[in-house]
Amino acid sequence: MDYQNTIAFAKELDSTDKLRDFRKQFFIPQHNNKDAVYFNGNSLGLQPKSTIDYLNQELEDWAALGVLGHANARNPWVNYHESLAEPLSRITGALPTEVVAMNQLTVNLHLLLATFYRPTRERFKIICEAKAFPSDQYALESQVKLHGLSPSDAIIEVHPKEGENIIQTDDILKVIDEHGSSTAVVLFGGVNYYTGQVFDMPAITYAAHKFGAYAGFDLAHAAGNIQLQLHDWQIDFACWCSYKYLNSGPGGVAGAFVHEKHAANKELPRLAGWWGTSKKNRFQMHPQFDPIPTAEGWQVSNAPILSMAAHKAALAIFDKAGMEALLIKSKQLTKFLFYILRDINEKHHRKVIQLITPQNAHGCQVSLFMLEQGREIFEALIDHGVIADWREPNVIRLAPVPLYNSFEEVWTFGNIIQTILNK
Ligand SMILES: *Cc1c(COP(=O)(O)O)cnc(C)c1O
């Protein structure tokens, strides 16, 4: 297709977009009485208009039934989390028995590491990406210290090659080759939060397994954003949050994946709680912990129903749209964005915007290194109601997401930048 950097062309793309009506299912933040251009779905996804009804139902049942709601609510609370497993399995490419909605992301990472990071004298290292999201760095360091080890011995970070922004797959495989036999866990993001790079999860997993290490992934920026096949890729464990691409509200309930080959293994050590034990025995206050032989066996506490109601509302929208259609539109949106950025550079006969995100391995999120007037451009974007994200020294991150963003918004973004550069 021949792209054009015009509003008419953007509108034409919108008019043929099969998912365009999904935008109406979300509240769009306002700026000067108009829809803001919301490109921050990678930090906090927008609120579906249906969320309030899902929440109200649980509030009404709580008001009407009190404790009896556990069994008698329209969606009985004791089983509430079970209804999230199917939609989550479609988003993550997992079996419903391999996924569970529970806790928060970093908490889930700790719970999964409690099981999968069991260092021995011979095998004690964790291989991870350099400059991982700070919460993940803290989690890994504290896990290592919990086992009486030193992070400087046990944590092996993979860096990009000198002068590059992106960690290439061969950089990762080289480190796994070097340290694999003394490595317990290889833990990467699915998508790097800063660069927007999608890591080659199957290749990393294959390499980790070759050396007998586990492969785990933090999918905070991947769930609901890119194609995932956690089951087929043989990933051992993974976790994600629901408030970014999954639109389930600030601090919303997170998710976890444990591959079937481990989930059914009741002997795996774990940090246990009553919600992870056999449902038959749970209310008999049995002294013996008998883990559920699915990902549910990693649950600790009873489920946060209000947060799960918001999650359920958001997941229903994903099911209506379908991951496949979302991925197609996502690719088209970013392709149009890449085209517009190239066009801006060409019109200015020099590189004013440098793309950090690799064009062959990305989801919705695109990170731009602004070579000229970065701060000024970002201020102008804010003045025009574009909600994106600024990272020092000169980086703008934006995420046109397929559920509620349009091609016209992508054009608007480029047009504002161009206006500032032309001044
Ligand atoms: C967003 C994000 C977090 C946030 O952790 P919470 O436990 O949800 O507060 C952690 N890690 C990564 C990679 C993230 O992108």
Side-chain angles (χ1 to χ4, degrees):
M1 191 188 299
D2 273 342
Y3 282 114
Q4 294 165 27
N5 187 359
T6 64
I7 189 166
F9 184 75
K11 283 186 167 171
E12 196 182 312
L13 291 175
D14 281 325
S15 72
T16 59
D17 168 18
K18 291 194 188 75
L19 297 178
R20 66 177 180 275
D21 284 341
F22 278 90
R23 177 181 173 89
K24 296 183 192 140
Q25 298 193 31
F26 290 86
F27 288 109
I28 311 290
Q30 297 294 296
H31 176 83
N32 293 341
N33 295 320
K34 279 197 336 219
D35 285 357
V37 175
Y38 193 77
F39 280 157
N40 244 177
N42 56 329
S43 287
L44 184 71
L46 292 181
Q47 183 185 145
K49 290 177 181 165
S50 56
T51 301
I52 194 161
D53 295 329
Y54 280 71
L55 275 169
N56 270 337
Q57 180 175 322
E58 301 317 320
L59 290 172
E60 283 166 15
D61 285 354
W62 177 22
L65 299 166
V67 72
L68 301 180
H70 281 300
N72 299 343
R74 281 164 280 180
N75 295 312
W77 302 328
V78 8
N79 304 322
Y80 200 94
H81 65 278
E82 292 172 13
S83 68
L84 306 174
E86 291 254 351
L88 281 173
S89 75
R90 288 187 276 275
I91 286 169
T92 55
L95 304 175
T97 50
E98 292 174 320
V99 292
V100 60
M102 61 181 192
N103 312 311
Q104 301 290 323
L105 167 57
T106 311
V107 172
N108 288 345
L109 182 58
H110 276 300
L111 291 177
L112 292 165
L113 286 170
T115 294
F116 291 99
Y117 182 57
R118 312 273 309 152
T120 62
R121 265 184 102 79
E122 296 73 37
R123 202 181 266 287
F124 59 93
K125 291 176 186 164
I126 300 177
I127 297 178
C128 62
E129 68 206 272
K131 293 199 192 154
F133 193 90
S135 194
D136 301 50
Q137 292 184 33
Y138 305 149
L140 295 182
E141 260 191 52
S142 62
Q143 283 279 337
V144 163
K145 287 182 180 165
L146 204 58
H147 289 283
L149 299 168
S150 135
S152 59
D153 297 333
I155 296 184
I156 309 295
E157 292 190 334
V158 183
H159 291 266
K161 291 186 190 69
E162 184 83 24
E164 290 185 18
N165 288 314
I166 297 298
I167 302 172
Q168 305 288 351
T169 305
D170 67 331
D171 301 328
I172 302 170
L173 299 186
K174 209 171 114 205
V175 173
I176 296 178
D177 266 341
E178 194 179 328
H179 295 275
S181 50
S182 53
T183 293
V185 173
V186 178
L187 189 107
F188 269 72
V191 177
N192 181 276
Y193 79 100
Y194 182 74
T195 63
Q197 177 191 14
V198 175
F199 287 111
D200 188 339
M201 289 177 257
I204 294 170
T205 303
Y206 183 81
H209 288 172
K210 210 169 60 183
F211 287 96
Y214 289 126
F217 289 89
D218 179 332
L219 304 175
H221 283 266
N225 176 23
I226 61 168
Q227 187 180 26
L228 295 170
Q229 293 294 344
L230 301 185
H231 177 84
D232 288 347
W233 294 342
Q234 297 292 324
I235 283 169
D236 296 292
F237 67 93
C239 48
W240 56 89
C241 56
S242 69
Y243 50 80
K244 290 172 178 163
Y245 292 98
L246 295 178
N247 308 319
S248 301
V253 66
F257 164 90
V258 180
H259 198 280
E260 169 180 56
K261 65 191 168 195
H262 307 301
N265 181 358
K266 294 186 180 192
E267 302 307 314
L268 276 181
R270 67 194 76 193
L271 294 174
W274 72 323
W275 232 246
T277 204
S278 149
K279 292 173 198 178
K280 214 165 59 238
N281 297 340
R282 192 186 282 151
F283 293 103
Q284 291 165 5
M285 305 297 165
H286 232 270
Q288 188 85 35
F289 176 72
D290 174 24
I292 303 171
T294 70
E296 288 178 83
W298 273 262
Q299 293 174 114
V300 177
S301 294
N302 77 95
I305 299 301
L306 297 179
S307 167
M308 285 191 174
H311 201 23
K312 195 175 167 83
L315 294 178
I317 300 179
F318 271 86
D319 267 339
K320 268 209 206 89
M323 244 355 253
E324 215 166 302
L326 286 167
L327 292 168
I328 291 172
K329 178 173 170 190
S330 169
K331 285 218 169 70
Q332 291 167 340
L333 278 170
T334 39
K335 208 167 153 198
F336 188 47
L337 174 63
F338 291 152
Y339 164 78
I340 284 179
L341 298 171
R342 263 199 314 277
D343 190 58
I344 293 173
N345 282 336
E346 274 168 26
K347 284 206 173 103
H348 292 271
H349 306 291
R350 60 181 184 274
K351 205 174 233 189
V352 289
I353 303 167
Q354 186 189 336
L355 203 55
I356 296 175
T357 308
Q359 287 187 60
N360 59 357
H362 62 82
C364 302
Q365 185 205 306
V366 175
S367 305
L368 311 176
F369 195 86
M370 308 304 286
L371 298 168
E372 291 177 28
Q373 294 174 274
R375 196 67 225 187
E376 201 181 327
I377 288 170
F378 190 69
E379 300 293 341
L381 288 167
I382 293 173
D383 287 345
H384 286 83
V386 177
I387 303 175
D389 168 289
W390 176 263
R391 296 269 159 165
E392 294 298 336
N394 250 333
V395 174
I396 295 175
R397 296 188 311 164
L398 69 155
V401 311
L403 268 177
Y404 48 74
N405 286 126
S406 67
F407 293 91
E408 184 176 340
E409 290 178 304
V410 171
W411 176 83
T412 301
F413 176 83
N415 188 246
I416 295 167
I417 295 181
Q418 220 148 332
T419 310
I420 297 296
L421 288 170
N422 287 343
K423 263 215 287 223

